[in-house]
């Protein structure tokens, strides 16, 4: 079973002091710079396009295609911004990557900036993770001293300055245009698009914004070739990714595997469900994606298959919940998070998430009638797709999917006057067709 793992980004995590420049270069770190600088920037873009690398931050947009949108005839500077504002419940892959191997990200930033002809790059990190910020800053300082950053890198004539920026600590700043506003010193709120960041992003200049894992994957593609990368994964979802397993498994953690692996395989790798309990529901891409059940254990974890199952692969933040968990309570807690983190700019999100919390709280306490479920679904329908960014859509997904699969459990809260779930009774509220 362990043959299904493909450690690339995580290969050096167990090394002694893996975060240091010395340890990174001992594994061949920064060797790709000479290869890249010997080629034209467009050749690096083509290499990433041919590899099939898709954004690892949630949406799965082709990375090379995004780079190709940068208008090179624009006289303004070009910028690369790395979105390291990882803060969604259940999402926990970028922070361990930056802690264990920050130079992987720094090398990826250099290659990516060279490809889009940017001379200034930023890593926007969530402000609360001070330990990560310090580690990145130290890695950047090491890279400057070694000549990997700064003026005339390795005699190539290429200049690049890299800044590690501590964010404002708001979940909304993970949305790329809100991140740009925050980086410019303003309150983080989503922008109306168009114009898109590729045309008018940071400081109204052409900007590429990519997730940490997307940029960190670039050095391995340059080193091994696009064919190597595209040989893994599925036909339309190429390569490998870090799958973050949390919740009710015996060995939660980061599992790097080709896209298309199934949850059943990952649970086996993680030592099975805790206490031998049955999987009840799970999120494929963090709390903003629709929940799935144990009916979906064998769905390939790639962008297309998960979408066909009614959810999103997202950031591959797999939160697993066993039969002892109340799905109504879990959904309420997620919704409370989105209500708290709404920036307030859009009426559907600002007002809608507040009303969703009130409605779910009443249901969780066993108040109301079954007709209230239709009211909640109507609220969701009036929120979905009607805001500047995807925060409101993320709040709606777990609610509609939980009612779809666990309507009987919602009704049971009403008939019991509160939560009926306990280890002995939970089997009564399994979704239809559930596997033991």
């Amino acid at each position: 079973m362990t043959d299904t793992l493909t450690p690339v980004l995580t290969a050096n995590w167990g090394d002694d002091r893996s975060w240091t420049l010395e340890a990174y270069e001992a594994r061949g770190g920064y060797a790709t710079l000479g290869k890249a600088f010997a080629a034209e920037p467009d050749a690096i873009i083509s290499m990433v396009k041919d590899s099939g690398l898709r954004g690892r931050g949630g949406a799965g947009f082709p990375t090379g295609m995004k780079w190709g949108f940068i208008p090179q005839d624009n006289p303004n500077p070009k910028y690369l911004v790395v979105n390291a504002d990882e803060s969604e419940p259940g999402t926990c892959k970028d922070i361990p990557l930056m802690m264990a191997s920050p130079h992987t990200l720094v090398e990826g930033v250099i290659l990516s900036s060279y490809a889009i002809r940017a001379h200034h790059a930023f890593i926007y990190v969530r402000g609360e993770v001070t330990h990560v910020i310090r580690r990145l800053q130290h890695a950047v300082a090491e890279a400057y001293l070694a000549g990997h950053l700064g003026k005339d890198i390795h005699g190539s004539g290429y200049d690049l300055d890299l800044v590690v920026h501590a964010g404002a600590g708001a979940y909304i700043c993970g949305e790329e245009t809100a991140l740009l506003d925050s980086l410019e010193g303003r309150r983080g709120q989503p922008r109306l698009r168009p114009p898109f960041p590729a045309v008018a992003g940071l400081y109204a200049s052409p900007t590429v914004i990519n997730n940490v894992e997307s940029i960190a994957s670039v050095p391995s593609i340059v080193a091994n070739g696009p064919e190597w990368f595209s040989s893994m994964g599925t036909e339309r979802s190429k390569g490998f990714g870090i799958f973050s397993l949390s919740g009710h498994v015996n060995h939660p953690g980061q599992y790097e595997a080709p896209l298309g692996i199934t949850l059943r395989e990952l649970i086996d790798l993680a030592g099975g469900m805790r206490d031998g309990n049955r999987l009840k529901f799970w999120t494929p891409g963090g709390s903003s994606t629709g929940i799935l059940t144990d009916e979906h254990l064998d769905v390939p974890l790639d962008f297309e298959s998960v979408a066909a199952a009614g959810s999103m692969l997202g950031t591959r933040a797999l939160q697993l919940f066993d039969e002892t968990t109340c799905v109504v309570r879990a959904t309420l807690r997620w919704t409370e998070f989105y209500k708290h983190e709404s920036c307030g700019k859009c009426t559907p999100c600002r007002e809608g998430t507040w009303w969703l919390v009130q409605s779910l709280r009443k249901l969780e306490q066993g108040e109301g009638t079954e007709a209230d479920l239709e009211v909640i679904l109507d609220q969701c329908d009036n929120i979905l797709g009607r805001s500047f960014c995807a925060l409101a859509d993320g709040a709606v997904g777990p609610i509609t999917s939980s009612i779809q699969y666990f309507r009987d459990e919602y009704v049971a809260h009403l008939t019991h006057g509160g939560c009926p779930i306990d280890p002995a009774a939970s089997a009564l509220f399994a979704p239809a067709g559930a596997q033991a």
Side-chain angles (χ1 to χ4, degrees):
M1 182 61 68
T2 53
D3 291 339
T4 60
L5 295 178
T6 54
V8 178
L9 297 176
T10 60
N12 64 333
W13 286 15
D15 293 356
D16 183 43
R17 296 176 59 81
S18 62
W19 57 88
T20 63
L21 179 65
E22 180 183 8
Y24 186 67
E25 289 185 334
R27 277 183 169 261
Y30 293 106
T32 60
L33 298 188
K35 180 178 181 180
F37 294 154
E40 290 297 317
D42 287 343
I44 307 301
I45 295 178
S46 297
M47 191 178 293
V48 174
K49 280 183 180 178
D50 294 343
S51 73
L53 174 65
R54 296 173 63 173
R56 299 306 198 229
F61 192 83
T63 303
M65 184 181 297
K66 178 183 279 192
W67 293 3
F69 289 154
I70 294 292
Q72 294 300 333
D73 57 351
N74 190 314
N76 289 350
K78 282 74 178 175
Y79 295 105
L80 174 72
V81 177
V82 179
N83 185 346
D85 191 64
E86 183 175 61
S87 52
E88 181 171 308
T91 305
C92 51
K93 62 183 176 62
D94 294 342
I95 284 176
L97 172 59
M98 291 184 287
M99 279 297 290
S101 188
H103 284 284
T104 304
L105 176 59
V106 173
E107 184 176 7
V109 167
I110 299 167
L111 295 170
S112 306
S113 299
Y114 175 74
I116 66 170
R117 298 172 176 85
H119 297 285
H120 291 86
F122 299 84
I123 303 175
Y124 184 101
V125 190
R126 186 162 182 79
E128 287 89 339
V129 289
T130 308
H131 57 301
V132 179
I133 295 167
R134 289 171 176 165
R135 181 149 291 178
L136 280 171
Q137 288 173 335
H138 182 71
V140 169
E142 285 186 312
Y144 268 107
L145 289 172
H148 302 318
L149 287 169
K151 300 293 184 183
D152 191 23
I153 300 172
H154 297 316
S156 64
Y158 176 64
D159 305 335
L160 178 64
D161 285 312
L162 173 57
V163 175
V164 177
H165 180 89
Y171 170 70
I172 192 63
C173 291
E175 196 279 333
E176 63 178 19
T177 59
L179 183 155
L180 294 178
D181 269 15
S182 176
L183 192 53
E184 291 175 359
R186 294 193 292 273
R187 179 181 180 181
Q189 288 190 325
R191 299 176 180 177
L192 181 64
R193 289 169 286 190
F196 292 94
V199 176
L202 186 64
Y203 308 128
S205 297
T207 305
V208 163
I209 309 166
N210 277 129
N211 173 261
V212 168
E213 191 183 351
S214 306
I215 296 298
S217 299
V218 173
S220 63
I221 294 172
V222 174
N224 300 298
E227 296 81 10
W228 165 83
F229 185 87
S230 62
S231 69
M232 294 175 276
T234 63
E235 183 179 355
R236 295 176 62 189
S237 298
K238 305 290 189 183
F240 49 83
I242 300 174
F243 294 83
S244 305
L245 269 69
S246 63
H248 300 159
V249 289
N250 284 317
H251 303 296
Q254 313 298 329
Y255 295 83
E256 190 174 8
L259 299 187
I261 193 172
T262 66
L263 181 62
R264 188 185 300 277
E265 293 174 289
L266 287 170
I267 291 176
D268 287 344
L269 290 167
M273 298 295 293
R274 70 171 187 184
D275 302 326
N277 289 341
R278 176 182 57 82
L279 173 67
K280 182 176 179 180
F281 62 98
W282 56 287
T283 67
S287 61
S288 65
T289 57
I291 67 170
L292 299 175
T293 71
D294 59 358
E295 298 175 21
H296 305 99
L297 276 167
D298 297 308
V299 171
L301 294 175
D302 61 56
F303 293 103
E304 289 73 33
S305 299
V306 175
S311 187
M312 289 177 59
L313 186 61
T315 55
R316 284 153 283 114
L318 305 164
Q319 301 173 95
L320 282 67
F321 300 88
D322 66 19
E323 55 197 327
T324 65
T325 308
C326 171
V327 70
V328 181
R329 180 61 179 161
T331 304
L332 170 60
R333 293 294 292 143
W334 285 327
T335 310
E336 287 173 337
F337 170 82
Y338 290 110
K339 173 243 181 184
H340 180 270
E341 294 296 333
S342 173
C343 73
K345 183 171 185 175
C346 314
T347 301
C349 182
R350 181 185 66 247
E351 302 297 322
T353 53
W354 189 90
W355 280 108
L356 288 174
V357 167
Q358 309 314 307
S359 301
L360 282 169
R361 192 170 287 160
K362 285 182 60 180
L363 288 170
E364 199 266 337
Q365 294 170 352
E367 301 172 3
T369 68
E370 189 173 351
D372 291 333
L373 291 177
E374 301 308 319
V375 173
I376 268 196
L377 290 174
D378 185 61
Q379 289 172 342
C380 290
D381 185 58
N382 279 283
I383 294 169
L384 185 66
R386 289 174 169 83
S387 60
F388 275 85
C389 77
L391 186 147
D393 295 353
V396 164
I399 298 172
T400 55
S401 56
S402 64
I403 294 175
Q404 174 187 353
Y405 293 116
F406 295 97
R407 190 182 187 95
D408 288 348
E409 190 169 318
Y410 277 89
V411 174
H413 276 69
L414 300 173
T415 57
H416 285 75
C419 182
I421 297 299
D422 61 61
S426 60
L428 299 174
F429 307 106
Q435 303 173 15

